[in-house]
Amino acid sequence: RRRILVTGGAGFVGSHLVDILMMKGHEVIVVDNFFTGRKRNVEHWFGHRNFEMIHHDIVNPLYVEADEIYHLASPASPPHYMQNPVKTIKTNTLGTINMLGLARRVGARILIASTSEVYGDPLVHPQPESYWGHVNPIGPRACYDEGKRVAETLAYSYAKQEKVDVRVARIFNTYGPRMHVSDGRVVSNFIMQALQNLTITVYGNGKQTRSFCYVSDLVDGLLGLMASSYTLPVNIGNPVEHTIEEFAMIIKNLVPGCRSTVATGAAVEDDPQRRRPDIAVAEAHLHWKPKVSLQEGLQRTIDYFKEELSRTT
Amino acid sequence: RRRILVTGGAGFVGSHLVDILMMKGHEVIVVDNFFTGRKRNVEHWFGHRNFEMIHHDIVNPLYVEADEIYHLASPASPPHYMQNPVKTIKTNTLGTINMLGLARRVGARILIASTSEVYGDPLVHPQPESYWGHVNPIGPRACYDEGKRVAETLAYSYAKQEKVDVRVARIFNTYGPRMHVSDGRVVSNFIMQALQNLTITVYGNGKQTRSFCYVSDLVDGLLGLMASSYTLPVNIGNPVEHTIEEFAMIIKNLVPGCRSTVATGAAVEDDPQRRRPDIAVAEAHLHWKPKVSLQEGLQRTIDYFKEELSRTT
Ligand SMILES: NC(=O)c1ccc[n+]([C@@H]2O[C@H](COP(=O)([O-])OP(=O)(O)OC[C@H]3O[C@@H](n4cnc5c(N)ncnc54)[C@H](O)[C@@H]3O)[C@@H](O)[C@H]2O)c1
Ligand SMILES: NC(=O)c1ccc[n+]([C@@H]2O[C@H](COP(=O)([O-])OP(=O)(O)OC[C@H]3O[C@@H](n4cnc5c(N)ncnc54)[C@H](O)[C@@H]3O)[C@@H](O)[C@H]2O)c1
Ligand SMILES: O=c1ccn([C@@H]2O[C@H](COP(=O)(O)OP(=O)(O)O)[C@@H](O)[C@H]2O)c(=O)[nH]1
Ligand SMILES: O=c1ccn([C@@H]2O[C@H](COP(=O)(O)OP(=O)(O)O)[C@@H](O)[C@H]2O)c(=O)[nH]1
Ligand SMILES: O=c1ccn([C@@H]2O[C@H](COP(=O)(O)OP(=O)(O)O)[C@@H](O)[C@H]2O)c(=O)[nH]1
Ligand SMILES: O=c1ccn([C@@H]2O[C@H](COP(=O)(O)OP(=O)(O)O)[C@@H](O)[C@H]2O)c(=O)[nH]1
């Protein structure tokens, strides 16, 4: 039984991680400023003796005690992180410095939630961890991409210089229940559109690809990485790749009686054209690979969004 | 006559810039923590009514008034910036945030000293500003490279979101008087070795290239960029490219009677293999190009190092 700090624990990924950690009997401290997260994601733990929720913005220092830190606090959806680029960078620089400083002081192991966006619009496919990436440092996505890249640099600088025990997960596109209905990511957009018989909005020609991982698989990967002795970055994602166009059809077909049409539109600036994780490192060092099929994961996610819709209408 | 803040103004580039600004009659405030800079570089201005020196570390907030800010504070030589990678990143993230916050508050135009290192070990040659770069986010140089990349991202995020008036100079290798005798960069190393008849130490096979700009040319470029209405990044450097091996011979031959031998040795990790600026943007928008030949610039630099040697021995 350990004291575990989860920054961004009221968010989509964080709240699923918190559920598992609580069910394993750990003491969990969630730190969140509710920028994109919601109390509702963790409210089922309110009042539990092992659970604590701190309303705090990590760009400011934080003094608590912990044995392990999962550092997930950061907006993750492009419309969210582009809304306030300065804040996105501050969260990933100042916020990460504060959490590394905390880890240093208390001697905690810290896992940094990095992202496949460190590879940018990749010229190598699929992307192994050794790939240096192809990122526009002054483009519209840079606040997130460069913020995460330098968060990794910070992690390894603290590891080398201050002997902080770091783990770095490069998370690829993840989906599942508790995604925000309006967070603007492709899974939530397409499912909400399909459920309401609205036009499914493909940005650009739809030939760009993504590879989607169900959230329970991701959480397993994060737990495995935290427990492992492997200290270099590890891709966590599902290597099953689809074009966004195919993806629109898959979702449409999973919603019985859906009458949505699929429309292509203007492309997004600097939109990565291909993305698929090479997960050989995770397989070898964490003995991890995803278990939930796209079909099954999407079905559960559609069920969740259906409930959300009926709750709000 | 303007009030001009120069961070890192006691350093190599900064002190030459301060000289020109003072000679033009401006009020100059130098902010420096003397990590790699020296009071001696600016002491000839001490007591001048237009000159002020503030001993301050820019990772902490700074409250002064200014019309223009040249933000140069950052270690620049690989051995210096790798010595304390955490501090290097803090200076380029926290320090840059503070200076952008200051610029925002007082409405000053701010020029960020970026670097050719944002291109990393480039796959495009020569490097135009549109090139996204090839940087290892977790390599030994990352604290500097990624720190500078995110400093650029910050600059354009503050420009977009807070209407801060930014300029970004991507500075290529620069040399001249007031370089540190022991700063470990190639020009100072080779000249000091040649002057003392010591072995000239080429790292790796010496086939890697660099393009060296004399400091007065760089300062002209920075002044031109600050005055210009062009807001995207601009390469400032000299496009005359040499291999490091050639460069060793050029320096040896400029030191009369030099008996040094040139020896190759172990290569440096992630050492960029080629570097040469494409300066079409500076030529078109700043009407700038370098004037001082390598021969002439090196001669002046050798004279300076000769004096340094006689002063200290
Ligand atoms: N979901 C994905 O597909 C994906 C992919 C790659 C990486 N990631 C990373 O995983 C992490 C979690 O992503 P998510 O999908 O759960 O996003 P999310 O937006 O649902 O969760 C992020 C949480 O961080 C909180 N937060 C943001 N800024 C904060 C600050 N300054 N101080 C305190 N809390 C703050 C938010 O309120 C939210 O609860 C993020 O770091 C993200 O970059 C996610
Ligand atoms: N000289 C080059 O070849 C070159 C090339 C590319 C970019 N640059 C950039 O130009 C700028 C100046 O470089 P330089 O060659 O004069 O280096 P330098 O080391 O001589 O000067 C840097 C100055 O910044 C000061 N400084 C460092 N950290 C500070 C902090 N936290 N607070 C306050 N002051 C601090 C140092 O004391 C020093 O006076 C740097 O930003 C560097 O990255 C230089
Ligand atoms: O328990 C702690 C310890 C540190 N910090 C923050 O982490 C930063 C970085 O820590 P580090 O040890 O590098 O910095 P220092 O204390 O030397 O400035 C500090 O500035 C603090 O703001 C924190 O939030 N909680
Ligand atoms: O309504 C939408 C939302 C997204 N996308 C595309 O789907 C992909 C994934 O986008 P998302 O914002 O989910 O995440 P990203 O992987 O770009 O961070 C990108 O190519 C988007 O342009 C789309 O076609 N329609
Ligand atoms: O004159 C100033 C104004 C701001 N800042 C610093 O710049 C940072 C970023 O400024 P911004 O306006 O973005 O931040 P805020 O004040 O909103 O935190 C602040 O946190 C201060 O630490 C400074 O050093 N001098
Ligand atoms: O004593 C030295 C110092 C540097 N170099 C090489 O010279 C080039 C320029 O190095 P410097 O440290 O001056 O600057 P950089 O351009 O790498 O930032 C690099 O290829 C170095 O490996 C060298 O061969 N011998």
Side-chain angles (χ1 to χ4, degrees):
Chain A
R1 168 157 159 196
R2 296 186 296 279
R3 278 169 312 180
I4 303 179
L5 175 64
V6 182
T7 76
F12 161 54
V13 173
S15 64
H16 285 281
L17 174 66
V18 165
D19 287 349
I20 302 288
L21 295 173
M22 285 296 293
M23 287 188 293
K24 289 189 183 233
H26 296 296
E27 275 181 49
V28 175
I29 306 174
V30 166
V31 167
D32 209 293
N33 70 347
F34 304 112
F35 172 51
T36 52
R38 292 171 296 190
K39 283 214 182 75
R40 193 151 66 82
N41 288 339
V42 287
E43 67 184 357
H44 45 287
W45 298 113
F46 286 4
H48 193 294
R49 57 177 354 180
N50 286 351
F51 182 80
E52 188 183 342
M53 168 89 238
I54 304 178
H55 188 156
H56 175 82
D57 190 316
I58 57 147
V59 304
N60 300 308
L62 174 74
Y63 290 85
V64 299
E65 307 305 308
D67 305 309
E68 285 179 358
I69 304 171
Y70 288 89
H71 174 40
L72 272 57
S74 163
S77 151
H80 285 155
Y81 65 67
M82 290 187 210
Q83 189 184 311
N84 188 336
V86 169
K87 186 57 191 254
T88 299
I89 306 182
K90 283 180 178 171
T91 296
N92 278 301
T93 55
L94 301 190
T96 301
I97 289 171
N98 285 333
M99 291 310 106
L100 287 162
L102 173 71
R104 176 192 172 195
R105 181 179 59 81
V106 302
R109 182 173 290 184
I110 179 168
L111 183 151
I112 308 281
S114 183
T115 169
S116 53
E117 297 272 346
V118 301
Y119 303 122
D121 190 5
L123 305 176
V124 169
H125 192 75
Q127 294 80 54
E129 289 83 352
S130 56
Y131 179 48
W132 289 2
H134 182 227
V135 170
N136 181 352
I138 60 170
R141 301 172 84 99
C143 57
Y144 184 71
D145 301 6
E146 293 292 349
K148 289 286 187 180
R149 283 175 69 96
V150 82
E152 290 195 6
T153 315
L154 275 163
Y156 291 106
S157 298
Y158 271 88
K160 191 171 174 188
Q161 191 175 329
E162 309 290 352
K163 310 290 167 247
V164 174
D165 191 17
V166 303
R167 300 291 181 275
V168 173
R170 290 187 178 155
I171 302 172
F172 282 65
N173 297 60
T174 302
Y175 69 101
R178 297 192 194 146
M179 286 190 94
H180 243 293
V181 166
S182 57
D183 83 353
R185 281 185 270 196
V186 69
V187 177
S188 39
N189 277 7
F190 284 8
I191 294 181
M192 288 300 288
Q193 289 160 346
L195 286 174
Q196 299 170 286
N197 295 309
L198 300 170
T199 306
I200 297 182
T201 55
V202 169
Y203 301 157
N205 64 11
K207 303 294 178 209
Q208 72 269 39
T209 70
R210 290 294 187 277
S211 310
F212 292 94
C213 185
Y214 189 68
V215 65
S216 63
D217 281 332
L218 168 61
V219 168
D220 281 350
L222 297 179
L223 294 167
L225 177 58
M226 182 64 106
S228 139
S229 60
Y230 189 80
T231 57
L232 289 174
V234 179
N235 289 339
I236 313 270
N238 191 318
V240 175
E241 183 182 7
H242 286 285
T243 66
I244 293 302
E245 198 178 36
E246 286 165 5
F247 198 62
M249 289 313 297
I250 293 170
I251 288 183
K252 182 174 145 78
N253 292 332
L254 281 173
V255 173
C258 172
R259 297 184 311 274
S260 293
T261 55
V262 176
T264 55
V268 170
E269 198 182 335
D270 289 350
D271 200 2
Q273 288 309 297
R274 298 183 299 177
R275 189 183 293 154
R276 169 153 60 102
D278 176 332
I279 61 167
V281 170
E283 291 187 304
H285 292 271
L286 315 183
H287 312 294
W288 174 89
K289 65 176 181 211
K291 296 190 195 109
V292 181
S293 71
L294 187 62
Q295 178 92 8
E296 193 183 333
L298 279 177
Q299 199 52 69
R300 291 190 215 163
T301 310
I302 290 168
D303 292 346
Y304 162 78
F305 278 109
K306 249 188 219 154
E307 251 176 70
E308 284 292 286
L309 259 178
S310 68
R311 221 176 43 85
T312 53
T313 51
Chain B
R1 169 158 157 197
R2 297 186 295 280
R3 277 168 314 177
I4 303 178
L5 175 63
V6 182
T7 76
F12 160 54
V13 174
S15 64
H16 286 281
L17 174 65
V18 166
D19 287 350
I20 303 288
L21 295 173
M22 284 298 293
M23 288 187 293
K24 288 187 187 240
H26 296 296
E27 275 181 48
V28 175
I29 305 175
V30 166
V31 167
D32 208 294
N33 71 346
F34 304 111
F35 172 51
T36 52
R38 293 173 296 191
K39 283 213 182 74
R40 194 151 67 78
N41 288 339
V42 287
E43 69 183 357
H44 45 289
W45 299 113
F46 287 3
H48 193 294
R49 57 177 354 180
N50 287 350
F51 182 80
E52 189 183 342
M53 168 90 238
I54 303 178
H55 187 155
H56 176 82
D57 191 316
I58 57 147
V59 305
N60 300 308
L62 174 73
Y63 291 85
V64 298
E65 307 305 307
D67 305 308
E68 287 179 357
I69 304 170
Y70 288 89
H71 175 39
L72 272 56
S74 164
S77 149
H80 284 155
Y81 65 69
M82 290 187 212
Q83 189 183 312
N84 188 338
V86 169
K87 185 58 192 252
T88 299
I89 306 182
K90 284 180 177 171
T91 296
N92 278 301
T93 56
L94 301 191
T96 301
I97 289 171
N98 285 333
M99 292 311 105
L100 286 162
L102 173 68
R104 176 192 171 196
R105 181 180 59 81
V106 302
R109 180 172 290 184
I110 179 169
L111 183 151
I112 308 281
S114 184
T115 168
S116 54
E117 296 271 347
V118 301
Y119 303 121
D121 191 5
L123 305 175
V124 169
H125 192 75
Q127 294 81 53
E129 288 84 353
S130 56
Y131 179 49
W132 289 1
H134 182 227
V135 170
N136 181 354
I138 61 170
R141 301 173 84 100
C143 58
Y144 184 71
D145 302 6
E146 294 292 348
K148 289 286 186 180
R149 284 174 70 96
V150 83
E152 290 195 6
T153 315
L154 275 162
Y156 291 107
S157 298
Y158 271 87
K160 190 171 173 188
Q161 193 174 329
E162 310 289 353
K163 311 289 167 244
V164 174
D165 191 18
V166 304
R167 300 291 180 274
V168 173
R170 291 186 177 155
I171 302 172
F172 283 63
N173 296 61
T174 302
Y175 70 101
R178 298 193 194 145
M179 289 190 92
H180 243 293
V181 166
S182 58
D183 83 353
R185 281 185 270 197
V186 69
V187 177
S188 39
N189 277 7
F190 284 8
I191 294 180
M192 288 301 286
Q193 289 160 345
L195 286 174
Q196 299 172 100
N197 295 309
L198 300 171
T199 306
I200 296 182
T201 56
V202 169
Y203 302 156
N205 64 11
K207 303 293 179 211
Q208 73 269 38
T209 70
R210 291 292 187 277
S211 309
F212 292 94
C213 185
Y214 189 67
V215 66
S216 63
D217 281 332
L218 168 63
V219 167
D220 281 350
L222 297 179
L223 294 168
L225 177 58
M226 181 65 103
S228 140
S229 59
Y230 189 80
T231 58
L232 290 174
V234 179
N235 289 339
I236 312 269
N238 191 319
V240 175
E241 184 182 6
H242 287 285
T243 67
I244 294 302
E245 198 177 36
E246 286 165 4
F247 198 63
M249 289 314 297
I250 293 169
I251 288 184
K252 183 175 144 82
N253 292 332
L254 280 173
V255 173
C258 172
R259 297 184 312 276
S260 294
T261 54
V262 177
T264 55
V268 171
E269 199 180 335
D270 290 349
D271 200 2
Q273 288 310 295
R274 299 184 299 178
R275 189 183 293 154
R276 169 151 63 101
D278 177 331
I279 61 167
V281 170
E283 291 186 305
H285 292 272
L286 316 183
H287 313 292
W288 173 89
K289 64 177 183 207
K291 296 189 195 112
V292 181
S293 71
L294 187 61
Q295 178 92 9
E296 191 184 333
L298 279 177
Q299 199 53 68
R300 291 191 216 162
T301 311
I302 289 169
D303 292 347
Y304 163 78
F305 278 109
K306 246 186 221 155
E307 248 177 69
E308 284 293 287
L309 258 179
S310 67
R311 219 176 45 82
T312 54
T313 50

